[in-house]
Amino acid sequence: MTAIRTQVVPDSGVKTAAPALEPLLSEIHEAGRAGRHVRGSEDADALIPNEFRRRASLDLPEITEPQVVRHFTHLAQLNYAVDTGMYPLGSCTMKYNPKVNDRIAALAGFAEIHPRQDDDTIQGALRLMFELQELLAKLTGMDAATLQPAAGAHAEFTALLVFKAYHSKRGDAARRRRVIVPDTAHGTNPASAAMCGYTVTTVKSDSRGNIDLASLKAALGDDVVGLMLTNPNTLGLFEERLREVCDAVHNAGGLVYGDGANMNALLGVARPGDLGFDCIHINVHKTFSTPHGAGGPGAGPLCVKAKLEPFLPHPRITRDTDGSYRRGPTPPDSIGRVRSFFGNFGVLVRAYTYMRTLGEEGLAEASNDAILAANYLLAQLRDSYDVAFDRPCMHEFVLSASRQRKQGASALDVAKALIDEGFHPPTVYFPLVVPEALMIEPTETEPRETLDAFAAAMVRVAERAKTDPASVKAAPLHAPLARLDEVSAARYPRLRWQRPT
Ligand SMILES: *Cc1c(COP(=O)(O)O)cnc(C)c1O
């Protein structure tokens, strides 16, 4: 296997393993090497006006063009990607991204326009955004949408600012300081509430995996801003008493926020606006495709009921009576901008393309297939692992490796062993309410053979945990890297290369 060399993290004394798989560009640097073949380019440099000439040396590695290409190709070949295999990461909706989305996003009329161009010159882009606003509002059963937030967490933050503005308008903001969040919520929910200066009240789940209605009612009061609810929740379960939940919050004068990061079970099946939510954000980079992970890019449009529309960030895209599109004026009650320009436009183009190519029926089929795939996998795995809440699941489900843990292999070990089986591991240790959680979301894009192969791999790992847990603990043996020091990586992140001293 590959040699791993040890490095010392500066100032920490902690030793981390750094891979010697692929030398750094600085390590293959050789003074005088270059990738440029243009004769006379020195003369071209002389054409640059003096004030724009670079004075300092950039200290960049000097290498040939093929060296650069091979370096990055080697790195890419070490990656696991949805283009190379199934990606069962629960709560992330790692579906296959149709290549046509990228082709459309790369069209010059989309990729090469500038946000400061006049509205008259970017009618196509404005029309796309206008229609996407409408499509998303319709699909979620809401009245209006903003495309500005750059991601899910950013949309949560935006929604809470909108809630604050709504309560302010009613003269109610000073005493409403508390946001209610279920114990199954994604970590960004309480974080967004805290960023808005609110305190967070956590409400537990009941024995069927729903938000506990009695605890919710006990937590409600006239100091509550609202409830942040994910449905299907992060256990992959549909909230069974959703109407009562929403009614209880509304009766206390609060608002119900829907975390629709993963809409993959609901497209064309159920509309959050009909279920009692006042708003919902959508991670278009999850549900509506777009390669994501490793920090972006994304977009988190926020769809709201009419009563919240006046407070949405601006500019939003409007259509004039003559059929032309423009950036609308800022209404007096808007919370203002939350992002420069319009958000991540390329991601919006991909989402629009995805929706238009599938059409309403195709979207509903995607959701139904996603639900079917998840239940199909759950049925194959229920004997080998503990099932957290034994109900039909939506687009994802949560297993527990508690049994395996007692045998000597934790959820993390199971995840690492799956790497040797050729699969990306599922989400582990989330949601927090399930011990040794393994959260699996197959998505609608995997064929049955792949689902069967993944289930067989999970079953094999469970068998090994029973008969030879030490081998599961030792995994992965067939990956480019063995176990990484995850604690040091989190505690002492080194986010840029530093020249060794
Ligand atoms: C992914 C996710 C988020 C956060 O979305 P980002 O785009 O990563 O900020 C919030 N809630 C749930 C349920 C999610 O799955």
Side-chain angles (χ1 to χ4, degrees), residues 65-87:
E65 182 168 328
Q67 284 182 300
V68 178
V69 170
R70 284 178 192 159
H71 173 77
F72 287 107
T73 304
H74 290 162
L75 289 180
Q77 285 170 335
L78 292 176
N79 267 347
Y80 190 95
V82 80
D83 280 358
T84 57
M86 177 183 169
Y87 228 118

Side-chain angles (χ1 to χ4, degrees), residues 2 38 44 89-90 133 139 142 150 156 160 180 187 331 359 373 377-378 381 402 404-405 407-408 415 452 478 501:
T2 319
V38 187
L89 273 182
Q133 285 174 182
L139 201 63
M142 297 287 169
E156 295 167 21
L160 289 170
I180 299 182
L377 265 188
L378 175 58
L381 296 175
S402 292
Q404 286 73 23
R405 171 93 200 233
Q407 291 159 350
D452 289 340
H478 307 294
T501 44

Side-chain angles (χ1 to χ4, degrees), residues 207-330:
S207 59
R208 291 185 53 77
N210 298 308
I211 183 170
D212 187 81
L213 195 57
S215 308
L216 171 68
K217 285 184 173 161
L220 284 167
D222 65 3
D223 62 337
V224 165
V225 176
L227 166 71
M228 300 180 84
L229 193 66
T230 310
N231 181 60
N233 63 28
T234 62
L235 295 163
L237 303 174
F238 201 94
E239 286 288 338
E240 291 172 304
R241 299 171 75 181
L242 192 56
R243 287 236 184 247
E244 289 164 85
V245 166
C246 293
D247 286 349
V249 176
H250 289 142
N251 289 339
L255 295 163
V256 183
Y257 167 81
D259 178 338
N262 323 96
M263 277 276 288
N264 223 32
L266 298 188
L267 304 175
V269 176
R271 306 195 314 162
D274 301 333
L275 299 172
F277 289 94
D278 297 299
C279 70
I280 183 159
H281 97 256
I282 299 170
N283 278 16
V284 295
H285 48 290
K286 291 178 183 171
T287 308
F288 298 104
S289 82
T290 277
H292 62 287
L302 177 67
C303 306
V304 300
K305 282 284 166 78
K307 65 181 172 189
L308 297 177
E309 183 175 2
F311 311 106
L312 284 180
H314 268 261
R316 285 168 56 229
I317 313 303
T318 56
R319 183 165 54 186
D320 288 350
T321 42
D322 68 356
S324 62
Y325 300 90
R326 50 194 69 263
R327 290 165 261 208
T330 303

